[in-house]
Amino acid sequence: MERAVQPLQNFMIDKAGAHSLATTVWGEAVRLRVSRTQTNGAYTMLDYYAPAKFGPPRHVHRQDDELFLIVAGSVLIWTPDEVQTAEAGDTVFLPRGKEHTWKGYGDDPIHLQVIVSPGEFECFIPKIVQQRLTAEDIEALTRMADEAGMDITGPPISDTELAEYLAAPAWNRSEGEAL
């Protein structure tokens, strides 16, 4: 006699490979590991992948705090006050309301484990994929960002900016000195 499978009430396990990747035409890919509906709106956990040297536009999450665990690759993290690098094994916290962006450097693709709280961002990349948007669909991408609780505030870090930041010591603009 077969029994109906009941959802677990006390814990859950996300099996590797249980879900497919939502992949944009420019190579960003996300696998939802834990949905905000599974955490009563507390957080979302994502597996995030991007090509080497990729970086999103400067942006602000209105409601979401972000926590990145860098699994693979190297990234430069930018805020108006500080620029630092992070590599595999490093953890980065970006609070809600803080303008930021990042850009991969080196030859390795980027892989991040991302926890977003409370998780409005979880729908962003799947909607881009579902609507088959390209990087040139600025108006639609801006609308999707707004629906995901983000404001696009500027362009991605350029290759020239990246080279300048990597050549300079780590710095903190609010203190006006190297870290």
Side-chain angles (χ1 to χ4, degrees), residues 6-158:
Q6 297 296 318
L8 297 173
Q9 299 300 313
N10 296 320
F11 70 94
M12 61 167 283
I13 297 173
D14 174 53
K15 295 287 190 182
H19 307 282
S20 63
L21 291 170
T23 305
T24 66
V25 295
W26 55 84
E28 275 184 291
V30 168
R31 181 171 85 83
L32 181 62
R33 306 244 4 206
V34 179
S35 168
R36 64 189 270 180
T37 60
Q38 296 170 305
T39 64
N40 294 319
Y43 65 91
T44 292
M45 183 176 181
L46 307 166
D47 248 344
Y48 174 88
Y49 302 87
K53 300 177 179 56
F54 176 81
R58 290 165 170 89
H59 60 280
V60 174
H61 295 270
R62 294 186 299 267
Q63 300 297 319
D64 285 332
D65 293 323
E66 289 183 290
L67 184 68
F68 298 164
L69 170 62
I70 314 297
V71 178
S74 300
V75 296
L76 180 124
I77 309 289
W78 174 93
T79 72
D81 302 319
E82 192 170 350
V83 176
Q84 291 196 38
T85 58
E87 298 178 350
D90 292 344
T91 302
V92 176
F93 175 71
L94 296 163
R96 69 188 76 190
K98 182 72 166 176
E99 182 184 20
H100 66 276
T101 192
W102 58 269
K103 184 174 177 83
Y105 66 92
D107 296 327
D108 295 329
I110 307 305
H111 178 195
L112 310 172
Q113 290 281 308
V114 181
I115 297 174
V116 185
S117 176
E120 273 189 285
F121 179 74
E122 119 179 2
C123 66
F124 184 60
I125 291 182
K127 281 186 176 180
I128 290 170
V129 172
Q130 181 183 38
Q131 293 191 18
R132 297 186 175 110
L133 299 179
T134 68
E136 289 75 36
D137 295 320
I138 303 301
E139 186 175 312
L141 290 169
T142 301
R143 187 176 58 254
M144 291 288 130
D146 182 58
E147 290 173 10
M150 290 187 303
D151 296 312
I152 305 300
T153 58
I157 295 170
S158 70

